[in-house]
Amino acid sequence: MIIIVSNNNSREDGRSFDELRSFKIESSVLKRADGSAYLEMGGNKILAAVYGPRESFIKRLLKSNTGVIKCRYNMAPFSVDDRKRPGPDRRSTEISKITAEALRPALLLENFPNSMIDISIEVIEAEGGTRCAGITAAAVALADAGIPMKDIVVACAAGKVNDEIVLDLSEKEDKEGQADVPIAIMPRTNEITLLQSDGILTEDEFRQAVDLAIKGCHEISKIQKIALKKRYGESL
Ligand code: UDP
């Protein structure tokens, strides 16, 4: 197979600088969870499951004036090239925390005192950008669980590769690129609920990356809504 890589406006995988990887989202894929979603984005395959709001046996985590959310991001041992050691590590603990923080602003938790919403994100196959893909899938699973929300949070990264600002970095671009800026937003208002930055960018490049990631979020948001409408019809 001959792969032609043009120098202008094209990337190693043939995408243009502002192009997302191909992706699909399906909701209600699990029977036992209250809400669930399956997402593929490039080589990422991710399942998200939501339970609650419900009482928790871990009483010390509950609050009498509001609901709480607990999130667990996990990478399956077979999800990456070198088998990943099972169980939590620093990276998964960080991603679990930032995922909960990215989703929390959309949830009307004050309506659910003394209860907990449990979110599980399982990365079955990973290929760069799993934190964003996990947030996007979890937001669909929350909507699928019927949990009242201000908006459906959506996430996407942009970054710098070969001195160009590009959308939705693949694993290779993430590893070999110069910077990565994952972002989550509430698309109705463009309120940013997650903003991380890894690598070095000028102020102007940083702004370009943020704008491009927000543009990507809006594209993904449309597919989140289609996935939910397929399941629940236009009543959504
Ligand atoms: N990765 C891996 N092994 C690990 C952790 C990550 O191969 O133990 C890969 C995986 O494809 C992941 C990518 O490296 O998507 C980038 O990881 P990062 O921590 O930047 O998070 P992500 O881009 O997935 O949000």
Side-chain angles (χ1 to χ4, degrees), residues 75 80 84 91 126-131 171 174-175:
M75 247 182 176
V80 288
K84 191 198 160 286
R91 178 176 171 278
E127 199 246 318
T130 60
R131 73 191 61 210
E171 181 178 20
D174 186 90
K175 284 190 175 144

Side-chain angles (χ1 to χ4, degrees), residues 43-129:
N44 290 316
K45 292 185 179 163
I46 294 181
L47 261 177
V50 166
Y51 286 89
R54 62 180 185 181
E55 271 193 59
S56 169
F57 57 89
I58 319 173
K59 298 283 181 234
R60 67 186 160 78
L61 296 180
L62 298 179
K63 291 185 180 167
S64 58
N65 59 343
T66 185
V68 292
I69 60 169
K70 194 157 77 63
C71 180
R72 175 180 175 270
Y73 162 102
N74 182 55
M75 247 182 176
F78 50 80
S79 66
V80 288
D81 286 337
D82 294 325
R83 177 184 176 275
K84 191 198 160 286
R85 205 170 155 213
D89 54 19
R90 260 183 71 163
R91 178 176 171 278
S92 65
T93 305
E94 179 235 342
I95 297 179
S96 299
K97 181 175 182 293
I98 58 107
T99 299
E101 284 167 10
L103 295 167
R104 193 178 288 117
L107 295 165
L108 302 166
L109 288 173
E110 61 280 7
N111 293 348
F112 303 100
N114 288 313
S115 21
M116 175 176 286
I117 297 171
D118 254 306
I119 305 168
S120 290
I121 295 166
E122 294 292 324
V123 179
I124 301 163
E125 279 186 3
E127 199 246 318

